Amino acid sequence: MGRTLDIAPLRSFVAVADCGGFQRAASALHLSQAAVSQHVRRLEAATGRILVERQGRGSRLTRDGEHLLRQARRILRLHDETLHSFVPQAAEPVIIGSTEHAAAQLLPPLNGVLEQELPDQVMRFRIDRGNRLREGLDTGQVDLALLLGPADDPRAWPVGQLELTWYSAPTWERPSLSQPVPLVVFDQPCSLRNRALEALSFHAIPTVIGAEAVQLAGVQAAVRAGLGVGLMATLGQTPEGLVARDDLPQPAPLPIALWARQSLPTEISRRVAEALCQLLLAPADLAPSDLPPAPLAAPVDAHLEPSTSKGV
């Protein structure tokens, strides 16, 4: 047929009608008045009709112009709706929760790995107590949670274990054998608190709670103040102002697991779990039997299935 109604001229034509003239239409479209006039002339050439005629200092649409205006609005509406249907929808962010024990050392490299592994997925992190993160999984406020303790639920993926270290103030001295060892611990419920008490009780070392805190900063401040020793998971990085202790029994490492919200796509859980395994496989003193299934060493379906094992 050889004749076409292009979108840009149609948009200029509708703007002339809506704005009441060429100059105002040009301002609204951020075009020159000459460009808008040229667009209208192209439409007149395509239709073979006069669409706009001068009226004093202004202009008005002819009957053919009114007809084209109705059709132009329909064409532009369909054009814009069609393009909009192909606009990528913004992905909902995946909320990854973590306890403070793993956050400072583990989340920065985890975020870097996920930016490479899942570049199109927005990740958001939340730091909280383990019990609150579990509640968040149940209510849908958290999608994934990195928690200390065994992977004793079908939603949990074992990803490794954290070595635990006793820390004290540099000037703190252990009491005599007849005196209880003062401990700085987190409020209950807390896996670290339980592991500290179990480790010393197993060796018949008496203990007393010297201080309790809700957050890691509070535990470290109390230990720094000399109120007792604290058991912490620091991934080998000694907190500022503290010293590691080797005169207390070494507790067993704590397993760490990635818990997933029930309806979260399995592929997202798997990719995050694999990233965590890569980061947590670094300690050289873990026995092979202690390691989680090696990520990326086998096809995706052959490893990292959620665990249903019980116990620490």
Side-chain angles (χ1 to χ4, degrees), residues 10-197:
L10 286 174
R11 208 175 293 281
S12 290
F13 178 69
V14 171
V16 169
D18 290 343
C19 297
F22 287 81
Q23 185 174 353
R24 291 178 180 176
S27 297
L29 295 173
H30 303 287
L31 297 174
S32 67
Q33 185 173 342
V36 173
S37 297
Q38 184 182 24
H39 283 169
V40 173
R41 286 196 297 270
R42 284 171 58 184
L43 294 177
E44 290 179 334
T47 60
R49 304 294 176 88
I50 300 298
L51 303 175
V52 181
E53 60 184 10
R54 294 289 179 181
Q55 188 177 43
R57 293 187 177 181
S59 58
R60 68 178 185 87
L61 300 185
T62 65
R63 177 176 293 185
D64 290 322
E66 293 286 355
H67 174 64
L68 180 61
L69 178 63
R70 291 190 294 270
Q71 297 299 100
R73 293 192 192 280
R74 294 175 57 192
I75 293 171
L76 290 175
R77 182 169 59 251
L78 182 59
H79 170 272
D80 294 344
E81 288 176 357
T82 302
L83 281 183
H84 182 73
S85 68
F86 288 99
V87 173
Q89 298 298 315
E92 288 291 324
V94 172
I95 310 299
I96 301 178
S98 173
T99 59
E100 289 183 291
H101 315 296
Q105 289 80 22
L106 203 53
L107 291 192
L110 174 62
N111 187 44
V113 172
L114 294 179
E115 285 180 348
Q116 296 181 356
E117 296 292 326
L118 297 168
D120 297 326
Q121 180 62 62
V122 178
M123 300 291 178
R124 186 180 302 162
F125 295 91
R126 175 178 175 181
I127 313 302
D128 212 331
R129 296 293 300 273
N131 60 324
R132 291 179 60 86
L133 292 177
R134 286 186 171 87
E135 292 174 1
L137 288 170
D138 294 334
T139 60
Q141 295 177 313
V142 175
D143 297 306
L144 295 166
L146 188 58
L147 301 172
L148 299 181
D152 55 0
D153 188 282
R155 297 174 298 170
W157 306 67
V159 294
Q161 55 188 15
L162 292 180
E163 295 291 335
L164 305 179
T165 305
W166 294 104
Y167 290 100
S168 75
T171 57
W172 185 86
E173 294 183 3
R174 179 178 172 177
S176 63
L177 295 180
S178 61
Q179 298 295 318
V181 175
L183 299 181
V184 177
V185 294
F186 286 90
D187 289 347
Q188 287 283 32
C190 176
S191 300
L192 274 177
R193 176 186 180 129
N194 295 338
R195 185 57 55 91
L197 293 171

Side-chain angles (χ1 to χ4, degrees), residues 236-255:
Q237 300 184 30
T238 300
E240 184 178 358
L242 303 181
V243 294
R245 308 288 306 196
D246 57 6
D247 55 350
L248 290 171
Q250 177 63 41
L254 264 179

